[in-house]
Amino acid sequence: MQEISTRYNPKEVENRWYTFWEEKKLFEVHNPSPKKPYCIVIPPPNITGSLHMGHALDGTLQDIIIRFKRMQGFDALWIPGCDHAGIATENVIERELAKQNINKHELGKDKLIDKIWDWKKQQEKRIIEQLKKLGCSCDWSRFAFTMDKEHSAAVEEAFARLFEDGLIYRGDYIVNWCPRCRTALSNVEVEYEDTVGELFHINYPLKDGKGQITVATTRPETMFGDTAVAVNPSDKRYKRLINKILILPLANREIPVISDERVSKSFGTGAVKVTPAHDPVDFEIGKTHKLDAPIIMDKEGKMKHVPEKYKGLDRFKCRKEVIEDLRKEGYLVKIVSHANSIGHCYRCKTVIEPYLSTQWFVDVQKLKNPAVKAVKSGKIRFIPDRWSKIYLNWMEEVKDWCISRQIWWGHTIPVSYCENCNEIILNRNIKDNSCSKCGSKKLVKETDVLDTWFSSSLWPMSTLGWPKDTEELKHFYPTSTLVTGYEIIYFWVARMIMMGLKLKGDVPFKTVYIHPIIRDKKGRKMSKSEGNVVDPLGLIDNFGTDALRMALAQLNTGAGQDIIFSLDRFEGMRNFSNKIWNASRFVIGILGDKFEPEKNIYELSLGLDEKFILRKVEELNKNISELLEDFKFGEASELIFKFFWHEFCDWYIELIKYKFKKENDSSDDSAALSETAEASRQTLFYVLDKVLRLMHPFMPFITEEIWHYLSKYDNTFSGSISVSKWPIFKIEKTQDTVVEEAVYKYEIIQAIRNLKAQWNIPFHEKLNFIIVASSRKEKEILIKEKDSIISVVNAQNIQIKEEMSVKDKFSSQVTPSGACVYLLLEDMDLTAEIVKIKEEMKKTDDVLTKIKKKLDNHDFILKAQPAAVEKCKTEKEELLKKREKLQQILKNFGGI
């Protein structure tokens, strides 16, 4: 007989099988293939650190999909990779350097880049190991990195094409500037936080001395960059003051009063200061009115081009100084509380500064329409659908994309500038190191790098070989499904769609599945700053990979709601793994060594229990297939759990165990078994094989391990469950009526078990029961299944009657379907039972006394570990409940 361990050891099983999969190259895809393609590209994790719970969820869902499609016979390709994550990675390395008291500028660009490449090698190796630990069935031979040679070539080609088509331009615009990272940020890289700040009311006196205008501002330190005060032309309060000249407080400089429709009459006083170099609306107003735009801060957020006493001050320090000076000189009218939304750098959380700067932009206005049409027409489908509306709303309001970053780590913008004629030339078009326009050799290369998301936006194409016209690109593009979180729809998803349509002429993927974010018990997003990060590898060590994956799948309900982390769910799925293992051990033990599976189980003579479980497993097969096609991971995993634990284990296996108690000891040869026992054995094999395949995408390791034991019985099984065929459901071979009949039978069995428990009757004690059916149909079922029920509940006999005699002494239960089940008490030695119960009560009371004494001991409560005290309290509660139950049984017996 096959030896199978009594306990499931996830660590040993997981390491062994992942090594096996890799050695057999089961996840590698080789072109050309006649199979229908199915491709997923992994959202590339940043090389900034370890994978977190979001990555675990993301990886689990993608792996469920790709394993499902592989088993369905698709040419299933999952491409892994990592992102260089420009700003984020440079920040991490800067922090590492700071621990050694080293400044990146002291180190120098080349040495910093070398350090980042070293970091990248370490982190990339770590990320790959973590993804493998999670069971991700990626094609590792195709691992990609956004700054490797192939992807760098794709980035340069994409930039060149967009630049030559006039879709990339350079100009002076207000950008979101991070003084800490010293770089521009795109709009979607700014995180806004609602705060209650202050609104400062300041008097700007008229030059002619005949009054003043009171302006309201949240940023008084920027007043040194004011070049006007603006009012709405329809605001009657200020009509007479339009075109008047004001004196700028603290700077003693003249500025005009102008009128502009963009000024809100209801904000503050209705008069606003105009600072074109430090506010996006002011910048537009300044362009309209041809105002100067002096920059009054440097790139670190320190003041410059301001009165001497403020030079070099940090912007927030300057604000305090300015307010104090305005108060002293009588310009400050009042300060009021003001609700405001403050933008922060998404990486370092520094408050961003609107800043006039020369930057590179993608003209999104000319790219967005096809990307909008692709979603509206259904060519790209968002799941859940509500995200398509959010995507479309954002696309309506989208601004041009600032793609230049003033950092060192990233793809350098591939252009040079001619110092002689100011021509901008693509580096690839430079010949003889000369300007293509004027012939000058005074060329200076750009030093800014591209936004990380620029290279990421090419990911579905570049991972398949673009801009080369590779076989992989022809076969797998557009990719099939993108799985990602909703927080990067704007950062990444929208941009991939625009780039794919523009550069490849087709959408990058057909389906976008948006999964929720995992939050802690308080509903907070997990982050290092909150101290609530959960390491998925720690959960794997404690519960096993399959338990982690199954728990994450179950938590992913698909309703679009975020997931609240609960350790109980992971513990529950570890218990489920053990349940699978123990049930499979039982089945393999029943099958023995010489079992041969029938080619068509439905040609056998099957009992009601076999017909029931076969109907249920075929329904499960159909439902899981449909749910996975619809990306309903939570519902699918819940159905698998309920079927295996309750219907297969608690119901079917328990109902047929009695058939093998004697026969299994004599021989494991099928010929020696009764016809009903052999039918049950064939059913056990058929159901376990099918349900293991259905489980495999969710729980790849334990299913592979058990399936290999089953494969010894059937030489048609492939070398791995991961490349076995997805089961075909055969509902047409079953009858829906068997479910109702089996449920009725099970209700009777449960009622008998409840009666025996109520009277504290052990299983081995055989008693007589009477059943009064509620209908003729149910009576027929009982007559047919009587022997089976007697064997399952270990009864002496069961009588099926039309009605119950009042002379009989009995205890009864009514089933949900209306049948009455009676336990005949006259068969019991009540005196002996009463003595037994009283002895059990005395033992319970003795233990209770000891525990109560312990809990009444002040020293124990004070000195013992809290866990020990809690354990005593729990034991006390359990014993009290047990005593109450024993008392009730005594009362039933008449012993009280």
Side-chain angles (χ1 to χ4, degrees):
M1 186 174 289
Q2 293 190 69
E3 290 293 328
I4 179 168
S5 173
T6 55
R7 295 187 65 185
Y8 178 56
N9 182 345
K11 289 181 182 177
E12 187 273 327
V13 167
E14 290 164 11
N15 292 334
R16 176 160 44 84
W17 283 118
Y18 205 96
T19 301
F20 171 84
W21 294 332
E22 281 201 282
E23 287 174 351
K24 299 294 183 183
K25 299 182 178 180
L26 297 180
F27 309 142
E28 290 187 15
V29 171
H30 302 284
N31 285 332
S33 169
K35 295 179 181 178
K36 189 176 179 182
Y38 195 96
C39 181
I40 296 175
V41 291
I42 197 169
N46 294 345
I47 56 165
T48 48
S50 303
L51 301 185
H52 51 63
M53 286 301 292
H55 291 115
L57 173 63
D58 203 60
T60 294
L61 300 182
Q62 289 175 85
D63 197 48
I64 290 170
I65 296 168
I66 210 70
R67 286 181 184 271
F68 171 53
K69 292 298 174 181
R70 189 178 291 122
M71 293 175 75
Q72 282 187 316
F74 284 83
D75 197 17
L77 171 62
W78 184 13
I79 302 176
C82 282
D83 194 296
H84 69 280
I87 295 174
T89 303
E90 196 163 309
N91 278 346
V92 168
I93 300 304
E94 282 189 69
R95 286 197 293 271
E96 292 296 313
L97 291 172
K99 293 175 186 176
Q100 306 167 45
N101 294 317
I102 299 174
N103 180 285
K104 81 169 186 178
H105 295 284
E106 295 169 357
L107 185 68
K109 181 177 179 179
D110 291 343
K111 289 184 178 178
L112 180 81
I113 298 299
D114 288 342
K115 283 191 174 293
I116 295 177
W117 276 109
D118 290 341
W119 171 273
K120 175 259 180 188
K121 288 173 188 173
Q122 295 172 20
Q123 293 307 113
E124 187 174 275
K125 182 181 177 184
R126 189 178 182 187
I127 287 167
I128 291 171
E129 288 172 355
Q130 290 172 325
L131 288 170
K132 289 179 179 179
K133 189 80 175 168
L134 193 60
C136 294
S137 57
C138 304
D139 183 345
W140 298 108
S141 68
R142 297 173 185 268
F143 189 89
F145 179 58
T146 51
M147 277 185 65
D148 62 25
K149 184 180 177 182
E150 293 77 14
H151 292 82
S152 295
V155 168
E156 186 170 345
E157 179 65 25
F159 184 95
R161 290 192 193 182
L162 294 171
F163 180 75
E164 288 173 340
D165 287 349
L167 295 171
I168 285 181
Y169 63 92
R170 185 173 185 252
D172 293 337
Y173 293 90
I174 289 284
V175 295
N176 304 297
W177 185 265
C178 175
R180 156 65 184 78
C181 300
R182 283 187 272 183
T183 185
L185 303 173
S186 68
N187 289 338
V188 294
E189 291 172 311
V190 178
E191 294 178 346
Y192 288 91
E193 184 180 322
D194 292 333
T195 58
V196 177
E198 294 175 316
L199 189 62
F200 303 91
H201 290 245
I202 305 165
N203 280 339
Y204 280 41
L206 286 160
K207 180 183 177 182
D208 60 15
K210 297 179 181 179
Q212 66 275 322
I213 286 183
T214 304
V215 302
T217 180
T218 58
R219 301 164 66 220
E221 70 278 8
T222 63
M223 64 187 297
F224 301 115
D226 291 358
T227 51
V229 165
V231 298
N232 193 290
S234 64
D235 195 332
K236 294 177 182 177
R237 294 172 294 177
Y238 301 114
K239 278 210 170 190
R240 65 180 182 84
L241 297 176
I242 293 171
N243 296 325
K244 294 279 188 180
I245 301 298
L246 301 169
I247 300 298
L248 182 62
L250 305 184
N252 199 30
R253 175 161 54 81
E254 295 180 3
I255 58 174
V257 178
I258 61 173
S259 64
D260 195 283
E261 293 282 355
R262 285 164 283 202
V263 177
S264 168
K265 291 187 284 185
S266 61
F267 175 76
T269 62
V272 296
K273 54 196 281 307
V274 180
T275 319
H278 295 277
D279 183 275
V281 176
D282 293 3
F283 176 73
E284 296 299 327
I285 292 174
K287 282 204 301 183
T288 301
H289 297 271
K290 296 183 172 55
L291 299 174
D292 290 338
I295 298 171
I296 51 106
M297 290 181 203
D298 64 18
K299 293 182 178 180
E300 294 181 7
K302 293 179 180 178
M303 306 307 290
K304 68 173 186 178
H305 305 310
V306 294
E308 195 64 34
K309 70 171 295 185
Y310 306 110
K311 282 183 180 177
L313 292 179
D314 172 78
R315 54 191 167 148
F316 298 118
K317 171 70 173 170
C318 181
R319 181 180 297 178
K320 292 179 181 177
E321 296 274 340
V322 165
I323 291 304
E324 186 56 31
D325 289 345
L326 288 170
R327 182 180 285 112
K328 284 179 183 176
E329 297 191 25
Y331 294 115
L332 185 65
V333 179
K334 63 178 178 179
I335 304 173
V336 296
S337 293
H338 176 65
N340 202 1
S341 188
I342 305 295
H344 295 76
C345 173
Y346 80 118
R347 282 300 175 191
C348 70
K349 310 308 176 188
T350 300
V351 174
I352 64 103
E353 187 66 38
Y355 197 79
L356 182 60
S357 177
T358 303
Q359 301 290 341
W360 286 89
F361 297 84
V362 171
D363 190 344
V364 175
Q365 307 313 310
K366 293 176 183 175
L367 291 172
K368 72 177 186 178
N369 288 340
V372 167
K373 185 179 178 182
V375 172
K376 282 186 175 180
S377 67
K379 196 166 186 181
I380 294 176
R381 180 175 60 131
F382 276 83
I383 300 174
D385 181 61
R386 69 188 185 91
W387 293 110
S388 62
K389 294 168 188 167
I390 291 168
Y391 164 87
L392 291 170
N393 289 340
W394 183 76
M395 290 295 280
E396 282 182 17
E397 304 296 326
V398 68
K399 307 294 183 188
D400 282 0
W401 172 18
C402 178
I403 56 169
S404 46
R405 298 291 180 269
Q406 291 67 47
I407 56 174
W408 292 344
W409 174 242
H411 298 98
T412 303
I413 294 175
V415 300
S416 293
Y417 307 101
C418 176
E419 291 185 317
N420 187 55
C421 70
N422 298 322
E423 181 72 359
I424 300 173
I425 313 153
L426 288 169
N427 289 340
R428 71 178 187 177
N429 293 341
I430 295 174
K431 294 178 182 178
D432 300 326
N433 198 32
S434 300
C435 173
S436 55
K437 185 178 180 180
C438 71
S440 172
K441 292 188 179 292
K442 293 182 178 180
L443 301 180
V444 179
K445 286 190 174 182
E446 173 65 271
T447 56
D448 285 359
V449 302
L450 286 164
D451 177 15
T452 293
W453 298 102
F454 189 90
S455 54
S456 301
S457 69
L458 309 175
W459 191 245
M461 301 184 296
S462 59
T463 50
L464 293 170
W466 187 90
K468 293 177 182 176
D469 192 23
T470 62
E471 289 300 316
E472 289 87 351
L473 193 64
K474 292 174 186 175
H475 187 54
F476 288 109
Y477 191 92
T479 64
S480 306
T481 300
L482 177 75
V483 177
T484 190
Y486 60 74
E487 72 274 22
I488 55 174
I489 290 176
Y490 316 135
F491 281 111
W492 192 40
V493 179
R495 290 164 176 173
M496 281 191 287
I497 295 172
M498 288 188 283
M499 290 296 200
L501 287 164
K502 172 61 184 174
L503 299 172
K504 189 68 184 69
D506 204 348
V507 294
F509 28 72
K510 298 160 191 170
T511 303
V512 181
Y513 179 79
I514 302 294
H515 64 68
I517 287 175
I518 301 177
R519 298 185 181 275
D520 68 9
K521 288 182 179 179
K522 295 179 181 177
R524 300 174 302 177
K525 188 175 178 180
M526 290 185 176
S527 67
K528 289 180 183 177
S529 59
E530 292 286 356
N532 61 354
V533 171
V534 176
D535 180 8
L537 295 186
L539 293 175
I540 288 173
D541 286 341
N542 289 328
F543 306 117
T545 299
D546 290 325
L548 171 81
R549 290 168 60 112
M550 193 67 170
L552 289 173
Q554 280 197 349
L555 289 166
N556 192 74
T557 61
Q561 297 174 335
D562 284 346
I563 292 171
I564 301 300
F565 178 82
S566 169
L567 204 60
D568 293 345
R569 187 64 66 112
F570 297 91
E571 290 172 350
M573 290 305 104
R574 176 185 58 191
N575 296 340
F576 183 50
S577 297
N578 292 333
K579 186 79 170 179
I580 295 168
W581 186 256
N582 292 332
S584 300
R585 281 187 70 245
F586 170 79
V587 173
I588 291 164
I590 292 298
L591 297 179
D593 287 335
K594 299 178 182 179
F595 173 77
E596 293 181 9
E598 288 286 337
K599 289 183 179 179
N600 187 350
I601 193 168
Y602 290 104
E603 291 181 354
L604 297 177
S605 177
L606 302 169
L608 177 60
D609 299 326
E610 283 66 47
K611 289 176 181 178
F612 163 77
I613 201 65
L614 288 170
R615 172 73 183 190
K616 297 302 285 186
V617 80
E618 301 297 2
E619 286 178 352
L620 180 74
N621 193 166
K622 179 177 183 292
N623 291 333
I624 298 302
S625 301
E626 290 173 354
L627 289 168
L628 287 183
E629 292 290 359
D630 291 337
F631 304 94
K632 293 181 179 178
F633 307 103
E635 289 179 45
S637 54
E638 188 65 26
L639 282 183
I640 288 171
F641 173 83
K642 287 179 178 176
F643 171 83
F644 194 90
W645 193 300
H646 299 300
E647 292 169 340
F648 186 54
C649 295
D650 292 353
W651 193 327
Y652 181 68
I653 287 179
E654 290 301 317
L655 290 184
I656 56 95
K657 269 184 180 178
Y658 75 90
K659 297 181 184 180
F660 304 98
K661 282 182 179 174
K662 292 180 182 177
E663 298 170 34
N664 217 30
D665 293 336
S666 59
S667 170
D668 70 356
D669 191 338
S670 352
L673 295 173
S674 67
E675 186 179 2
T676 60
E678 179 58 19
S680 296
R681 221 160 62 129
Q682 292 291 343
T683 302
L684 284 170
F685 178 84
Y686 180 87
V687 173
L688 184 57
D689 169 40
K690 178 164 279 202
V691 80
L692 286 174
R693 296 182 202 230
L694 297 175
M695 276 183 189
H696 178 71
F698 299 88
M699 306 178 80
F701 293 108
I702 193 170
T703 52
E704 184 76 88
E705 177 76 359
I706 296 166
W707 196 78
H708 267 261
Y709 284 102
L710 289 189
S711 68
K712 293 180 173 67
Y713 300 116
D714 192 333
N715 58 19
T716 65
F717 280 23
S718 60
S720 168
I721 193 173
S722 66
V723 290
S724 66
K725 289 182 179 179
W726 185 255
I728 299 169
F729 53 85
K730 302 172 183 176
I731 287 184
E732 73 283 355
K733 300 279 188 182
T734 65
Q735 300 170 318
D736 57 358
T737 55
V738 298
V739 174
E740 185 183 346
E741 293 173 9
V743 167
Y744 178 72
K745 175 184 175 180
Y746 187 71
E747 286 176 357
I748 297 294
I749 291 168
Q750 194 58 46
I752 292 172
R753 286 173 173 168
N754 290 344
L755 282 168
K756 292 183 81 171
Q758 180 183 329
W759 291 94
N760 205 38
I761 300 165
F763 177 79
H764 62 79
E765 194 169 325
K766 295 188 175 186
L767 296 172
N768 291 302
F769 294 86
I770 294 172
I771 302 172
V772 177
S774 58
S775 69
R776 180 179 294 177
K777 181 183 176 183
E778 289 171 353
K779 185 179 179 181
E780 289 172 359
I781 296 169
L782 283 174
I783 292 169
K784 189 178 177 183
E785 297 296 319
K786 176 182 170 181
D787 291 344
S788 170
I789 295 171
I790 288 172
S791 299
V792 169
V793 300
N794 198 33
Q796 183 66 41
N797 188 32
I798 292 175
Q799 300 176 58
I800 301 164
K801 293 186 175 183
E802 298 291 338
E803 59 181 22
M804 185 66 185
S805 170
V806 293
K807 294 178 183 178
D808 294 319
K809 189 175 182 182
F810 60 81
S811 179
S812 67
Q813 273 216 347
V814 180
T815 68
S817 57
C820 292
V821 180
Y822 300 92
L823 165 63
L824 296 180
L825 299 179
E826 61 193 21
D827 298 331
M828 297 173 62
D829 183 349
L830 296 184
T831 303
E833 290 296 330
I834 289 169
V835 170
K836 217 161 68 175
I837 297 299
K838 285 185 174 179
E839 286 175 355
E840 186 65 25
M841 278 189 73
K842 186 179 182 308
K843 287 180 188 175
T844 304
D845 286 341
D846 289 345
V847 179
L848 259 173
T849 302
K850 288 179 183 177
I851 288 179
K852 283 180 179 177
K853 189 176 178 182
K854 213 172 187 181
L855 290 171
D856 290 339
N857 185 332
H858 181 71
D859 286 343
F860 172 73
I861 299 295
L862 200 63
K863 296 176 182 178
Q865 291 288 332
V869 175
E870 196 58 40
K871 186 181 177 185
C872 277
K873 288 179 180 178
T874 302
E875 287 176 1
K876 178 186 172 184
E877 291 301 317
E878 288 172 352
L879 287 166
L880 286 170
K881 286 177 185 176
K882 181 181 178 181
R883 194 182 191 287
E884 187 180 342
K885 184 180 177 184
L886 291 170
Q887 254 181 330
Q888 184 60 46
I889 294 169
L890 270 181
K891 190 176 180 181
N892 293 341
F893 281 140
I896 293 180

